[in-house]
Amino acid sequence: AAFYKELPKVELHAHLNGSVSVQTVERLIQRKPHLNIEHSMTAIGKGQRRTLDECFEVFKVIHKLVDTEEDILMVAKDVIKEFAADNVKYLELRSTPREEKDTRLTKKSYVEAVIKAIQQCKNEGVDIDVRFLVAIDRRNGPEVALETVKLAEDFMLSSGDLVVGIDLSGDPTVGHGRVLLPALERARNSGLKLSLHMSEVPSQLEESELLLNLPPDRIGHGTFLHPEMGGSQSLVDRVVKHQIPLEICLTSNVKGQTVPSYSQHHFRYWYQLGHPCVICTDDKGVFCTDLSQEYQLAASTFGLSRDAVWRLSERAVDCVFAGEAVKQQLRQKWTELQPGLL
Ligand code: 5GP
């Protein structure tokens, strides 16, 4: 276990409100005792499973606990520090800006709070490079999606390279990506990178065909893309042709029951193809995991040697949305740390 913990890591798929730890939930509950929220409502423990629908209910509970600028600042700082303590050297956080009339939270102040958290951690010397992807919740439709892209564009310019892209997430059984294409095209044209949840459930094939026309810069999950899962060879060919990395979230997919067991996870298919795959947590708080555990799980399930695990974390550097200079710095860091570990 020490090896996986010490391994320098890159986290590219982490939803802010799904990443809130038990300790932070404790502090939030103390701030809002009147909500009568218990821990069992915010996390899915070892051996437990929920349907994807039930997972989305969990997010709603957390959203009740996190509804002021101060909450977001605290949650984001805690999450960043927890990833840093797990030896994550580069982190892309993603979150859906929300407005709350009661607390005068606006989407703009939401994003500002996350950026403030990133800057404060940097000033405190936390050893991690953090970037932010502004998330579009597909449930909210095309107008909100466009508004979100505009917000991200403004912050891309003002945040000093901290906002690097857009995430498309939210309940995959609701809405259709077709109506979101104009917003996503606009984002791409203005230089924002795109990480899109794709084929998370079987019914999304046609949508995946469409979204691949963009094409996205990274794919979240992509569980049902390949033919053995009801997808198609032509989808696989296009993903391979564009070399679009897949963000792989083992525990999340098994606990959320979109994948029946670890050994049947689609990581195996893509990894055997030699396709870029990045091990990620998705929602480390909700699914009670961390990135070290996810690497260990990948190694034990798929029989990966330490060398192979090292290469997996090293290759993740190629998939980050920050620029070439940042990638070079990270590669340097990996080179320096390698002799101590392998
Ligand atoms: P937030 O955006 O509020 O920081 O993080 C929680 C949100 O992330 C959820 O409401 C949902 O929109 C999105 N999310 C978290 N995990 C998943 C997942 O596994 N699949 C999808 N499609 N969306 C997710």
Side-chain angles (χ1 to χ4, degrees), residues 311-335:
R311 280 196 301 276
L312 207 50
S313 94
E314 198 173 38
R315 276 187 85 188
V317 172
D318 302 333
C319 308
V320 311
F321 284 166
E324 206 46 46
V326 172
K327 288 185 190 176
Q328 285 304 346
Q329 280 167 15
L330 291 170
R331 288 187 188 114
Q332 177 77 32
K333 205 168 247 179
W334 261 242
T335 306

mmCIF file of all heavy atoms in Angstrom, residues 311-335:
data_model
loop_
_atom_site.group_PDB
_atom_site.id
_atom_site.type_symbol
_atom_site.label_atom_id
_atom_site.label_comp_id
_atom_site.label_asym_id
_atom_site.label_seq_id
_atom_site.Cartn_x
_atom_site.Cartn_y
_atom_site.Cartn_z
ATOM 1 N N ARG A 311 4.185 3.590 -15.125
ATOM 2 C CA ARG A 311 3.949 4.137 -16.485
ATOM 3 C C ARG A 311 2.547 4.719 -16.611
ATOM 4 O O ARG A 311 2.333 5.717 -17.278
ATOM 5 C CB ARG A 311 4.177 3.052 -17.548
ATOM 6 C CG ARG A 311 5.650 2.831 -17.876
ATOM 7 C CD ARG A 311 5.820 2.053 -19.172
ATOM 8 N NE ARG A 311 5.175 0.740 -19.121
ATOM 9 C CZ ARG A 311 5.745 -0.345 -18.604
ATOM 10 N NH1 ARG A 311 6.960 -0.288 -18.108
ATOM 11 N NH2 ARG A 311 5.098 -1.497 -18.591
ATOM 12 N N LEU A 312 1.597 4.068 -15.936
ATOM 13 C CA LEU A 312 0.214 4.559 -15.972
ATOM 14 C C LEU A 312 0.138 5.966 -15.371
ATOM 15 O O LEU A 312 -0.492 6.865 -15.942
ATOM 16 C CB LEU A 312 -0.651 3.578 -15.157
ATOM 17 C CG LEU A 312 -2.126 3.407 -15.464
ATOM 18 C CD1 LEU A 312 -2.388 3.164 -16.937
ATOM 19 C CD2 LEU A 312 -2.680 2.242 -14.632
ATOM 20 N N SER A 313 0.788 6.169 -14.248
ATOM 21 C CA SER A 313 0.732 7.497 -13.620
ATOM 22 C C SER A 313 1.546 8.500 -14.438
ATOM 23 O O SER A 313 1.185 9.669 -14.549
ATOM 24 C CB SER A 313 1.201 7.439 -12.161
ATOM 25 O OG SER A 313 2.566 7.738 -12.036
ATOM 26 N N GLU A 314 2.632 8.034 -15.041
ATOM 27 C CA GLU A 314 3.480 8.914 -15.852
ATOM 28 C C GLU A 314 2.754 9.358 -17.121
ATOM 29 O O GLU A 314 2.820 10.524 -17.526
ATOM 30 C CB GLU A 314 4.752 8.136 -16.208
ATOM 31 C CG GLU A 314 5.901 8.982 -16.657
ATOM 32 C CD GLU A 314 7.156 8.143 -16.830
ATOM 33 O OE1 GLU A 314 7.036 6.979 -17.310
ATOM 34 O OE2 GLU A 314 8.245 8.638 -16.487
ATOM 35 N N ARG A 315 2.033 8.418 -17.725
ATOM 36 C CA ARG A 315 1.318 8.744 -18.966
ATOM 37 C C ARG A 315 0.148 9.696 -18.728
ATOM 38 O O ARG A 315 -0.298 10.386 -19.647
ATOM 39 C CB ARG A 315 0.787 7.458 -19.628
ATOM 40 C CG ARG A 315 1.818 6.745 -20.483
ATOM 41 C CD ARG A 315 1.179 5.598 -21.242
ATOM 42 N NE ARG A 315 0.559 6.022 -22.501
ATOM 43 C CZ ARG A 315 -0.194 5.225 -23.251
ATOM 44 N NH1 ARG A 315 -0.432 3.981 -22.894
ATOM 45 N NH2 ARG A 315 -0.727 5.668 -24.387
ATOM 46 N N ALA A 316 -0.344 9.701 -17.495
ATOM 47 C CA ALA A 316 -1.453 10.612 -17.174
ATOM 48 C C ALA A 316 -1.018 12.069 -17.358
ATOM 49 O O ALA A 316 -1.838 12.935 -17.679
ATOM 50 C CB ALA A 316 -1.931 10.362 -15.739
ATOM 51 N N VAL A 317 0.278 12.327 -17.171
ATOM 52 C CA VAL A 317 0.794 13.688 -17.343
ATOM 53 C C VAL A 317 0.514 14.198 -18.765
ATOM 54 O O VAL A 317 0.207 15.380 -18.958
ATOM 55 C CB VAL A 317 2.315 13.733 -17.036
ATOM 56 C CG1 VAL A 317 2.907 15.091 -17.398
ATOM 57 C CG2 VAL A 317 2.585 13.393 -15.571
ATOM 58 N N ASP A 318 0.604 13.298 -19.744
ATOM 59 C CA ASP A 318 0.360 13.703 -21.143
ATOM 60 C C ASP A 318 -1.074 14.189 -21.356
ATOM 61 O O ASP A 318 -1.370 14.841 -22.351
ATOM 62 C CB ASP A 318 0.597 12.519 -22.106
ATOM 63 C CG ASP A 318 2.001 11.962 -21.983
ATOM 64 O OD1 ASP A 318 2.898 12.734 -21.593
ATOM 65 O OD2 ASP A 318 2.196 10.760 -22.270
ATOM 66 N N CYS A 319 -1.978 13.811 -20.455
ATOM 67 C CA CYS A 319 -3.414 14.062 -20.662
ATOM 68 C C CYS A 319 -3.931 15.291 -19.926
ATOM 69 O O CYS A 319 -5.120 15.594 -19.991
ATOM 70 C CB CYS A 319 -4.214 12.839 -20.216
ATOM 71 S SG CYS A 319 -3.636 11.297 -20.954
ATOM 72 N N VAL A 320 -3.065 16.004 -19.208
ATOM 73 C CA VAL A 320 -3.548 17.164 -18.444
ATOM 74 C C VAL A 320 -3.905 18.302 -19.395
ATOM 75 O O VAL A 320 -3.383 18.386 -20.508
ATOM 76 C CB VAL A 320 -2.519 17.644 -17.383
ATOM 77 C CG1 VAL A 320 -2.017 16.480 -16.540
ATOM 78 C CG2 VAL A 320 -1.350 18.390 -18.027
ATOM 79 N N PHE A 321 -4.804 19.171 -18.941
ATOM 80 C CA PHE A 321 -5.244 20.298 -19.785
ATOM 81 C C PHE A 321 -4.333 21.527 -19.672
ATOM 82 O O PHE A 321 -4.430 22.434 -20.494
ATOM 83 C CB PHE A 321 -6.687 20.685 -19.447
ATOM 84 C CG PHE A 321 -7.720 19.723 -20.003
ATOM 85 C CD1 PHE A 321 -9.049 19.771 -19.549
ATOM 86 C CD2 PHE A 321 -7.398 18.790 -20.984
ATOM 87 C CE1 PHE A 321 -10.017 18.907 -20.061
ATOM 88 C CE2 PHE A 321 -8.356 17.915 -21.497
ATOM 89 C CZ PHE A 321 -9.667 17.976 -21.032
ATOM 90 N N ALA A 322 -3.500 21.578 -18.663
ATOM 91 C CA ALA A 322 -2.570 22.720 -18.558
ATOM 92 C C ALA A 322 -1.545 22.612 -19.692
ATOM 93 O O ALA A 322 -1.392 21.552 -20.310
ATOM 94 C CB ALA A 322 -1.875 22.712 -17.205
ATOM 95 N N GLY A 323 -0.842 23.711 -19.955
ATOM 96 C CA GLY A 323 0.034 23.788 -21.124
ATOM 97 C C GLY A 323 1.307 22.970 -21.031
ATOM 98 O O GLY A 323 1.580 22.290 -20.036
ATOM 99 N N GLU A 324 2.078 23.036 -22.096
ATOM 100 C CA GLU A 324 3.296 22.224 -22.261
ATOM 101 C C GLU A 324 4.314 22.474 -21.135
ATOM 102 O O GLU A 324 4.960 21.531 -20.671
ATOM 103 C CB GLU A 324 3.907 22.523 -23.642
ATOM 104 C CG GLU A 324 4.746 21.418 -24.226
ATOM 105 C CD GLU A 324 4.133 20.025 -24.142
ATOM 106 O OE1 GLU A 324 2.928 19.831 -24.450
ATOM 107 O OE2 GLU A 324 4.875 19.115 -23.728
ATOM 108 N N ALA A 325 4.432 23.729 -20.697
ATOM 109 C CA ALA A 325 5.413 24.042 -19.646
ATOM 110 C C ALA A 325 5.088 23.273 -18.361
ATOM 111 O O ALA A 325 5.986 22.744 -17.690
ATOM 112 C CB ALA A 325 5.434 25.542 -19.372
ATOM 113 N N VAL A 326 3.797 23.198 -18.049
ATOM 114 C CA VAL A 326 3.371 22.467 -16.842
ATOM 115 C C VAL A 326 3.670 20.975 -16.999
ATOM 116 O O VAL A 326 4.169 20.319 -16.076
ATOM 117 C CB VAL A 326 1.863 22.699 -16.583
ATOM 118 C CG1 VAL A 326 1.356 21.805 -15.466
ATOM 119 C CG2 VAL A 326 1.597 24.160 -16.275
ATOM 120 N N LYS A 327 3.405 20.447 -18.201
ATOM 121 C CA LYS A 327 3.695 19.022 -18.440
ATOM 122 C C LYS A 327 5.183 18.738 -18.251
ATOM 123 O O LYS A 327 5.560 17.727 -17.652
ATOM 124 C CB LYS A 327 3.279 18.636 -19.865
ATOM 125 C CG LYS A 327 1.788 18.576 -20.063
ATOM 126 C CD LYS A 327 1.465 18.075 -21.460
ATOM 127 C CE LYS A 327 -0.026 18.249 -21.722
ATOM 128 N NZ LYS A 327 -0.417 17.881 -23.065
ATOM 129 N N GLN A 328 6.020 19.642 -18.754
ATOM 130 C CA GLN A 328 7.472 19.463 -18.612
ATOM 131 C C GLN A 328 7.880 19.441 -17.140
ATOM 132 O O GLN A 328 8.671 18.594 -16.725
ATOM 133 C CB GLN A 328 8.228 20.577 -19.350
ATOM 134 C CG GLN A 328 8.244 20.431 -20.872
ATOM 135 C CD GLN A 328 8.815 19.093 -21.352
ATOM 136 O OE1 GLN A 328 9.436 18.351 -20.590
ATOM 137 N NE2 GLN A 328 8.571 18.760 -22.615
ATOM 138 N N GLN A 329 7.305 20.364 -16.365
ATOM 139 C CA GLN A 329 7.614 20.401 -14.922
ATOM 140 C C GLN A 329 7.210 19.099 -14.245
ATOM 141 O O GLN A 329 7.931 18.570 -13.399
ATOM 142 C CB GLN A 329 6.839 21.527 -14.243
ATOM 143 C CG GLN A 329 7.447 22.905 -14.407
ATOM 144 C CD GLN A 329 6.457 23.999 -13.984
ATOM 145 O OE1 GLN A 329 5.456 23.719 -13.318
ATOM 146 N NE2 GLN A 329 6.729 25.225 -14.389
ATOM 147 N N LEU A 330 6.041 18.596 -14.634
ATOM 148 C CA LEU A 330 5.555 17.359 -14.020
ATOM 149 C C LEU A 330 6.444 16.183 -14.426
ATOM 150 O O LEU A 330 6.801 15.347 -13.583
ATOM 151 C CB LEU A 330 4.091 17.092 -14.414
ATOM 152 C CG LEU A 330 3.061 18.074 -13.818
ATOM 153 C CD1 LEU A 330 1.691 17.881 -14.470
ATOM 154 C CD2 LEU A 330 2.940 17.901 -12.300
ATOM 155 N N ARG A 331 6.834 16.126 -15.695
ATOM 156 C CA ARG A 331 7.707 15.023 -16.148
ATOM 157 C C ARG A 331 9.015 15.030 -15.371
ATOM 158 O O ARG A 331 9.531 13.985 -14.960
ATOM 159 C CB ARG A 331 7.978 15.153 -17.654
ATOM 160 C CG ARG A 331 6.749 14.822 -18.481
ATOM 161 C CD ARG A 331 7.041 14.783 -19.976
ATOM 162 N NE ARG A 331 5.787 14.638 -20.713
ATOM 163 C CZ ARG A 331 5.279 15.557 -21.525
ATOM 164 N NH1 ARG A 331 5.932 16.681 -21.764
ATOM 165 N NH2 ARG A 331 4.125 15.347 -22.137
ATOM 166 N N GLN A 332 9.529 16.238 -15.144
ATOM 167 C CA GLN A 332 10.756 16.422 -14.366
ATOM 168 C C GLN A 332 10.576 15.846 -12.961
ATOM 169 O O GLN A 332 11.415 15.109 -12.451
ATOM 170 C CB GLN A 332 11.037 17.931 -14.302
ATOM 171 C CG GLN A 332 12.238 18.336 -13.479
ATOM 172 C CD GLN A 332 13.521 18.080 -14.241
ATOM 173 O OE1 GLN A 332 13.537 18.169 -15.464
ATOM 174 N NE2 GLN A 332 14.579 17.730 -13.514
ATOM 175 N N LYS A 333 9.435 16.172 -12.357
ATOM 176 C CA LYS A 333 9.134 15.692 -11.011
ATOM 177 C C LYS A 333 9.092 14.169 -10.976
ATOM 178 O O LYS A 333 9.651 13.534 -10.085
ATOM 179 C CB LYS A 333 7.774 16.265 -10.581
ATOM 180 C CG LYS A 333 7.573 16.369 -9.100
ATOM 181 C CD LYS A 333 6.343 17.211 -8.756
ATOM 182 C CE LYS A 333 6.738 18.494 -8.074
ATOM 183 N NZ LYS A 333 5.592 19.354 -7.737
ATOM 184 N N TRP A 334 8.444 13.577 -11.951
ATOM 185 C CA TRP A 334 8.339 12.106 -12.027
ATOM 186 C C TRP A 334 9.746 11.492 -12.169
ATOM 187 O O TRP A 334 10.057 10.494 -11.529
ATOM 188 C CB TRP A 334 7.445 11.690 -13.208
ATOM 189 C CG TRP A 334 6.029 11.347 -12.838
ATOM 190 C CD1 TRP A 334 5.432 10.130 -13.001
ATOM 191 C CD2 TRP A 334 5.016 12.211 -12.272
ATOM 192 N NE1 TRP A 334 4.122 10.171 -12.561
ATOM 193 C CE2 TRP A 334 3.841 11.434 -12.113
ATOM 194 C CE3 TRP A 334 4.983 13.540 -11.875
ATOM 195 C CZ2 TRP A 334 2.652 11.953 -11.588
ATOM 196 C CZ3 TRP A 334 3.817 14.060 -11.357
ATOM 197 C CH2 TRP A 334 2.677 13.276 -11.214
ATOM 198 N N THR A 335 10.575 12.107 -13.008
ATOM 199 C CA THR A 335 11.933 11.589 -13.214
ATOM 200 C C THR A 335 12.729 11.633 -11.909
ATOM 201 O O THR A 335 13.448 10.693 -11.573
ATOM 202 C CB THR A 335 12.652 12.433 -14.292
ATOM 203 O OG1 THR A 335 11.826 12.440 -15.452
ATOM 204 C CG2 THR A 335 14.009 11.859 -14.639
#
